[in-house]
Each structure stands twice: as C-alpha cells, then as structure tokens.
Amino acid sequence: MSASSSRAHKLTMLGYPGTEYEFRIVEQIGVGAHAITHKAIREINSDHFAIKVISLDHCSEADSDAVRRETHAMILHSHPNLLTSYCSFDVDDHNLWLVMPYMAAGSLQSIVSYAFSNGLPENCIAVVLKETLKGLSYLHHQCHLHTYIKVGDILLDHKDNELRSIKLEGSVLSVTIDLQLQL
C-alpha cells in the first residue's frame, strides 16, 4: 500500500469524528484474525464507541482496497439489526480504524461462554435468530452477502439490564445477482 493512498483514505458520516486524536482507548474488548476491537471514549463529549483496529501490515494492495470497500459498505447500511460504522480512517499507514457503536452486552459468543455453558435456552435462540435474519434479509435486498457469519459477529446492547438490540457485524461483500435462470 502506498503512503499516499493510505493518507487519502477517510470515510465519515456527518457529525462523526475523523481522526484518532478525538478518541481515548479505554480497553480491549475483542480480538479477531486481523483486527482488535477496543472500547473508546470520544474526548469532546465522553460518548462510548467501539473502534475496530484492522492491521494492514500483512495485506496486499488489493486486500487493503477490499477492506476499505467493506468498511464503506458498513457506513452506507442502515438497519436496526446491522452494526453500522460511523467513520473509518487510516492511522500511521499501518492500521485502519473503524468507529462503530459500542454494544455494552458484548458478543453472543462471550455471553454464551460466560453464562450459558450448556447453551442458550431455545426461546433465546429463537429471538437471536429472528433478529439476525432480519439483518441478513436487509443485506440480501441490498445485493450484499455476509461472507462469514459466526456467533462472535452477533452483538447485543443493554441498558439497565434490559436487552435493547441485537445486531449483526462482520464482513459484507457486494455482489451482482443474475436474476436470469440458466436452463
């Protein structure tokens, strides 16, 4: 990846911050194959965010571009069951920061591991699947596919011990759907 293309990359929604200097990292809240997610506070107003730091060190130029397209897709989508992104920007030519809402209850994977060693009750599974499928349905209607669904990509938010939302996060891929049948 060239330094000029790295510095040029910045996507943001109106009203959201655009540099790493506007955030204070509080703690690490998740680890993936190519990214680490942190809880962060926006210095100007003390709002909480999740920042996914995607390492670009081991990415080819094509892979870096694909990651940027994926983050751009996350900014464009708006659905109550999809984790959106507020902005993304390159930091120090090595990392891409993706700024997202902070989901206080965490991932379904961590919840099941911590509190449900024998698995979730059936009625809980039904609720989680229903809300997750609503997000997937929206993506499909937008001609996007989620490329790798796992329990760690299902995030929950709560307030005062009451479930507020279930959102799907993760990889999306733009696809062109050929509606003609091949005979």
Side-chain angles (χ1 to χ4, degrees), residues 103-120:
M103 301 293 285
S107 74
L108 185 60
Q109 178 179 354
S110 62
I111 292 168
V112 169
S113 297
Y114 177 76
F116 296 95
S117 59
N118 294 325
L120 285 175

Side-chain angles (χ1 to χ4, degrees), residues 69-70 73 77 142-147 172-177:
R69 282 191 304 274
E70 182 178 311
H77 291 300
Q142 301 299 312
C143 297
H144 287 84
L145 296 176
H146 192 291
T147 58
V172 293
L173 175 68
S174 296
V175 296
T176 303
I177 299 175

Side-chain angles (χ1 to χ4, degrees), residues 51-69:
I51 297 179
K52 181 180 275 192
V53 179
I54 303 167
S55 174
L56 301 175
D57 285 339
H58 303 293
C59 292
S60 67
E61 184 86 28
D63 289 342
S64 293
D65 290 343
V67 168
R68 287 186 177 88
R69 282 191 304 274

Side-chain angles (χ1 to χ4, degrees), residues 121-164:
E122 191 173 317
N123 58 340
C124 292
I125 293 170
V127 170
V128 169
L129 284 176
K130 179 181 176 185
E131 298 304 307
T132 303
L133 289 171
K134 286 179 186 177
L136 283 174
S137 178
Y138 169 83
L139 283 176
H140 293 174
H141 281 92
Q142 301 299 312
C143 297
H144 287 84
L145 296 176
H146 192 291
T147 58
Y148 183 60
I149 299 170
K150 56 190 181 300
V151 70
D153 289 340
I154 300 170
L155 304 172
L156 292 84
D157 196 15
H158 69 80
K159 185 174 183 176
D160 301 326
N161 290 325
E162 183 176 315
L163 182 64
R164 292 177 64 184

Side-chain angles (χ1 to χ4, degrees), residues 52 74 83 98 100 146 152-155 167-171:
K52 181 180 275 192
M74 287 182 70
L83 188 67
L98 185 59
M100 304 173 291
H146 192 291
D153 289 340
I154 300 170
L155 304 172
K167 296 183 184 277
L168 179 62
E169 188 268 333
S171 301

